[in-house]
Amino acid sequence: MEADHTEPQSDDREPRGVLVLRTLAMPRDTNPWGDIFGGWILSQMDVAAGLMAGEVAQGRSATVTVDGVVFHRPVIVGHTVCIYAELLRVGRSSMDIRLEVWTRDLVHRWEPERDFVAEAVFRYVAVDAEGAPRMIPDNPEFFTRS
Ligand SMILES: CC(C)(COP(=O)(O)OP(=O)(O)OC[C@H]1O[C@@H](n2cnc3c(N)ncnc32)[C@H](O)[C@@H]1OP(=O)(O)O)[C@@H](O)C(=O)NCCC(=O)NCCS
């Protein structure tokens, strides 16, 4: 699923979805120039999507695709990284979860501004104990099958 790049990516709006993960960008997550690796951010997004997927699927699930990855702004050491997840679609065994990554600098300055730094859509598949796809059970807390 492609990200909608026609939509303005304003930092003025509120993050979409629910806050599922909050962490800190540490010096160990940088490249030799001191910038945070995109791969570290992606792994945090995968953890965040996995947390929601596990709740929706009520059990084991696995990442099958990652689409529409965009890094809008750099993440700096010391930034608080907040990842919001929104359930876009539930299929038979798969689900699409859109993630937004927002950061706040709580180390160098103490200000309420936050930056919209990255987004992606993760597709997770609910799997059984053998790793085979299983049907996602009805879960009124998250979705209603129509
Ligand atoms: C996820 C996995 C179990 C799916 O197995 P599969 O044999 O392709 O299963 P199916 O063909 O029955 O598809 C199951 C669902 O996944 C979706 N799917 C499978 N491959 C897909 C792909 N390449 N793109 C988008 N969706 C896909 C199907 O549309 C289907 O969705 P639905 O049940 O909601 O209709 C299997 O591909 C796998 O184990 N992948 C590795 C997962 C993993 O280890 N991830 C961690 C990163 S290494």
Side-chain angles (χ1 to χ4, degrees), residues 68-85:
V69 181
V70 185
F71 297 104
H72 295 289
R73 292 162 186 259
V75 177
I76 312 297
V77 171
H79 279 188
T80 298
V81 176
C82 301
I83 307 184
Y84 296 81

Side-chain angles (χ1 to χ4, degrees), residues 46 62-65 89-95 123-127 131-134 136:
D46 201 11
T63 317
V64 63
T65 61
R89 184 197 67 89
V90 177
R92 201 193 84 82
S93 67
S94 68
M95 73 204 95
R123 178 166 291 184
Y124 266 74
V125 174
V127 293
R134 66 178 166 90
I136 298 174

Side-chain angles (χ1 to χ4, degrees), residues 12 57 65 81 105 109 113:
D12 297 334
T65 61
V81 176
D105 185 354
R109 62 194 162 100
E113 286 87 36

Side-chain angles (χ1 to χ4, degrees), residues 29-109:
D29 305 315
T30 61
N31 62 25
W33 294 275
D35 304 313
I36 295 292
F37 278 119
W40 178 78
I41 296 165
L42 266 180
S43 72
Q44 300 306 307
M45 294 168 85
D46 201 11
V47 170
L51 287 169
M52 177 173 269
E55 280 197 69
V56 173
Q58 298 177 2
R60 186 177 175 185
S61 55
T63 317
V64 63
T65 61
V66 183
D67 284 329
V69 181
V70 185
F71 297 104
H72 295 289
R73 292 162 186 259
V75 177
I76 312 297
V77 171
H79 279 188
T80 298
V81 176
C82 301
I83 307 184
Y84 296 81
E86 180 186 19
L87 184 64
L88 292 185
R89 184 197 67 89
V90 177
R92 201 193 84 82
S93 67
S94 68
M95 73 204 95
D96 293 340
I97 297 171
R98 180 168 182 273
L99 297 174
E100 289 190 359
V101 184
W102 291 69
T103 57
R104 274 184 73 183
D105 185 354
L106 300 179
V107 170
H108 308 99
R109 62 194 162 100

